């Protein structure tokens, strides 16, 4: 199975806007896939995977990214799916590939104290409130604290997720619609808002780990080696 940006389309209808693609180039791409016994795997959601141009007259969309596979691979993974996901940073959309149906059964997780909780402004007051209102002996109060903190943490995470999910959903709808001046303005604005939320998440986790992940990159290995020897 091969997946990614092939920088070429198979047929003329896989492009909208701009100059028509030369038939010879598309025919050559089809022949390469045929010679390699590779079959297009299809997709779900919006048709195009690449887009450029913020004005109606300059907007171009193409299906440059795809997955292709041999018949043998397809028979090994009959429940595969390829999804074109929303994108806000790149002009290419990410491809999400799954080889089996998602298991939606809920998993019961044991209680774990998360380090990021102490970074929340409301953490100390929340602990005090739960503890003061808890009944019974020490073990009972600890159990109440555990349940209360889980609810509190879930609420904070959900509020963050809701805004991001709302923006992703809006972006999905905008990408499905035809391009016009109003659609493109709203599309750009939604991407900016989503990028801002993603940046806030990144900064939040950088603060939580007390390491500037994006700045140090591969130096993290050295950092953790030093920590281990101290």
């Amino acid at each position: 199975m091969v997946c990614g940006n092939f920088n070429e389309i198979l047929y003329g209808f896989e492009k909208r806007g701009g100059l028509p693609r030369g038939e010879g180039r598309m025919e050559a791409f089809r022949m390469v896939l045929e010679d390699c016994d590779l079959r297009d795997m299809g997709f779900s959601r919006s048709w195009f995977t690449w887009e450029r141009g913020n004005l109606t007259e300059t907007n171009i969309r193409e299906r440059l990214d795809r997955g292709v596979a041999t018949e043998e691979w397809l028979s090994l993974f009959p429940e595969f799916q390829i999804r074109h996901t929303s994108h806000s940073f790149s002009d290419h959309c990410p491809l999400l590939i799954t080889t089996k149906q998602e298991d939606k059964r809920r998993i019961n997780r044991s209680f774990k104290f998360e380090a990021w909780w102490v970074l929340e402004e409301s953490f100390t007051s929340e602990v005090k409130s739960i503890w003061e209102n808890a009944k019974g002996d020490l073990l009972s109060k600890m159990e109440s604290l555990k349940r209360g903190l889980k609810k509190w943490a879930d609420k904070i995470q959900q509020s963050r997720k809701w805004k991001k999910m709302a923006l992703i959903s809006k972006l999905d709808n905008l990408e499905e619609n035809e391009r016009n001046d109003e659609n493109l303005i709203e599309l750009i604005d939604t991407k900016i808002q989503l990028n801002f939320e993603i940046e806030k998440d990144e900064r939040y986790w950088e603060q939580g780990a007390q390491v500037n992940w994006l700045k140090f990159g591969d130096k993290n290995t050295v950092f953790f080696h030093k920590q281990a020897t101290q």
Side-chain angles (χ1 to χ4, degrees), residues 1 41 73 76-81 97-101:
M1 191 269 282
M41 296 167 65
W73 189 95
L76 287 172
F77 304 100
E79 295 183 334
F80 80 89
Q81 290 181 333
I97 304 172
T98 54
T99 54
K100 63 179 181 180
Q101 295 292 336

Side-chain angles (χ1 to χ4, degrees), residues 69-210:
T70 62
E71 289 292 345
E72 184 180 5
W73 189 95
L74 295 171
S75 65
L76 287 172
F77 304 100
E79 295 183 334
F80 80 89
Q81 290 181 333
I82 294 185
R83 178 183 169 88
H84 293 171
T85 61
S86 296
H87 52 111
S88 57
F89 284 98
S90 172
D91 48 12
H92 288 266
C93 82
L95 304 184
L96 178 63
I97 304 172
T98 54
T99 54
K100 63 179 181 180
Q101 295 292 336
E102 183 181 358
D103 188 353
K104 296 185 177 180
R105 290 177 295 178
R106 191 167 183 174
I107 300 172
N108 292 322
R109 296 177 180 174
S110 58
F111 176 79
K112 291 180 181 178
F113 186 93
E114 300 285 350
W116 63 265
W117 292 356
V118 298
L119 300 174
E120 291 293 330
E121 291 183 8
S122 60
F123 173 74
T124 302
S125 59
E126 187 70 23
V127 171
K128 287 181 178 178
S129 175
I130 296 170
W131 191 262
E132 289 170 359
N133 290 290
K135 308 291 184 183
D137 58 16
L138 178 63
L139 289 178
S140 297
K141 294 184 80 165
M142 290 294 289
E143 189 65 29
S144 296
L145 183 62
K146 180 180 76 172
R147 291 195 301 269
L149 283 176
K150 283 188 73 172
K151 279 187 180 180
W152 167 82
D154 287 345
K155 188 176 180 180
I156 289 176
Q157 286 184 313
Q158 282 301 319
S159 65
R160 291 182 172 190
K161 287 179 182 177
W162 286 335
K163 185 168 186 180
K164 201 151 57 169
M165 286 171 62
L167 288 169
I168 291 172
S169 177
K170 184 179 180 181
L171 192 58
D172 285 345
N173 292 329
L174 289 169
E175 287 177 344
E176 293 283 354
N177 296 336
E178 287 298 317
R179 297 295 182 262
N180 54 44
D181 290 341
E182 184 180 348
N183 171 270
L184 285 169
I185 290 171
E186 200 168 0
L187 194 67
I188 294 167
D189 181 64
T190 305
K191 286 184 177 183
I192 291 171
Q193 291 185 58
L194 182 57
N195 290 349
F196 183 64
E197 290 302 313
I198 292 170
E199 185 179 354
K200 283 198 298 185
D201 280 349
E202 288 176 351
R203 289 187 178 183
Y204 178 82
W205 290 114
E206 286 169 33
Q207 179 187 7
Q210 297 181 352

